[in-house]
Amino acid sequence: MKTETTIQGLNAALAPARIARKTIGFVATMGNLHQGHLNLVREAKKLCDLVVVSIFVNPIQFGPNEDFDNYPRTLEADSHLLADVGCDVLFAPTIQQMYGDHERKTTVSVHGITDILCGQSRPGHFDGVATVVTKLFNIVQPNTAFFGQKDWQQLAIIRAMTRDLNFSIDIVGVPITRAEDGLALSSRNAYLTAEQRQTAPVIYQALTTAQQQLQQHTDLQQVLAQIDLTLVNAGFVVDYVKAYTPDLLPVTQFDQDIVLFIAAKLGSTRLIDNLLVKFSD
Ligand code: AMP
């Protein structure tokens, strides 16, 4: 595996593949890699000739009181994990390499679907994500890019942005990787105390219970209220418990597929999860 820290270096590393018209798969991450990230890379390896993974803790997607400074940075360990799953090129740029010294005058802003869910609790977050993903798409120029369904809203935003801005990139959504007890893997799980880690799977339990209730036609608002109560009783501070269509539109019919979304805090750690409830075949 090659590791590149500059755009120039990355271009040189990818030049032979571009000339040979090999397909390039791309996985964007903030590092501190776990099996969730590695499953994106495995999926990319299946579908593309060559896989590029970026590790970049993007400052502009963090709010002023968020965990940018403390975000776990484990490049050495990440690099070994990536080599083991067959990543071809690791792109690990500095902030200076990505944003330079000049004032940034352009922001990519996706409208509407960024105003709900995490967009409401984290103002500006998705502008930061859309901007850095646009930059990374332009730098890497992949044929296919892989994003986790763990961040369902992010995936929907990137799909919309890719369509609106005519990126010739296929966007592939990869299912959530979970721990054995159901907790969605996340770099932020490392912030949990042992006791909080025991409580955390309640999120997934509440989602699967809700899924069963909805498939037995229990009223949606009642089901959402029950999830909220379950979380509060377990000690979470709930940010949101919501349902939208897979495209993030309001739910209007009872027989359409819906996605249940949760964001909740255990202590200072904010966890998110979601579950697709299918009504169609
Ligand atoms: P992050 O490093 O948190 O920015 O995540 C990088 C990519 O990995 C994003 O596309 C995430 O949606 C994806 N990802 C993170 N955790 C998981 C997980 N548990 N299952 C599937 N994808 C994940």
Side-chain angles (χ1 to χ4, degrees), residues 83-276:
D84 286 349
V85 291
C87 168
D88 297 282
V89 182
L90 165 58
F91 179 51
T94 58
I95 295 178
Q96 148 76 25
Q97 185 65 207
M98 286 299 285
Y99 290 106
D101 293 323
H102 58 280
E103 184 199 344
R104 181 173 50 87
K105 297 191 175 61
T106 307
T107 297
V108 180
S109 200
V110 178
H111 300 260
I113 54 174
T114 49
D115 296 337
I116 56 173
L117 301 171
C118 287
Q120 227 165 32
S121 346
R122 305 183 67 189
H125 168 67
F126 287 121
D127 282 1
V129 170
T131 302
V132 81
V133 171
T134 296
K135 287 164 76 71
L136 288 166
F137 278 0
N138 284 329
I139 293 166
V140 178
Q141 297 171 39
N143 300 85
T144 311
F146 299 79
F147 292 88
Q149 290 174 355
K150 156 100 188 337
D151 301 279
W152 190 290
Q153 185 178 17
Q154 171 176 280
L155 175 60
I157 289 165
I158 288 164
R159 282 191 197 286
M161 179 187 93
T162 300
R163 198 172 47 226
D164 289 345
L165 299 184
N166 300 90
F167 284 113
S168 298
I169 300 173
D170 286 331
I171 306 297
V172 174
V174 179
I176 301 176
T177 304
R178 299 181 179 281
E180 260 180 39
D181 58 13
L183 177 65
L185 297 189
S186 164
S187 304
R188 292 196 166 98
N189 294 350
Y191 300 148
L192 298 171
T193 63
E195 196 187 337
Q196 289 168 341
R197 177 62 189 80
Q198 295 248 299
T199 307
V202 169
I203 296 180
Y204 184 60
Q205 288 155 17
L207 284 171
T208 50
T209 304
Q211 182 182 44
Q212 286 161 16
Q213 289 171 338
L214 288 167
Q215 283 168 340
Q216 289 156 12
H217 306 291
T218 311
D219 171 70
L220 176 59
Q221 294 313 319
Q222 196 183 322
V223 169
L224 296 178
Q226 184 57 51
I227 297 177
D228 193 275
L229 191 65
T230 304
L231 293 172
V232 171
N233 286 342
F236 290 87
V237 174
V238 175
D239 181 354
Y240 58 72
V241 175
K242 295 264 169 151
Y244 284 94
T245 70
D247 294 332
L248 297 183
L249 297 170
V251 177
T252 52
Q253 291 162 234
F254 294 109
D255 56 350
Q256 67 185 158
D257 293 348
I258 62 172
V259 183
L260 298 171
F261 292 93
I262 292 178
K265 273 188 165 185
L266 268 182
S268 55
T269 306
R270 187 172 180 278
L271 301 174
I272 61 168
D273 203 346
N274 65 75
L275 192 66
L276 174 68

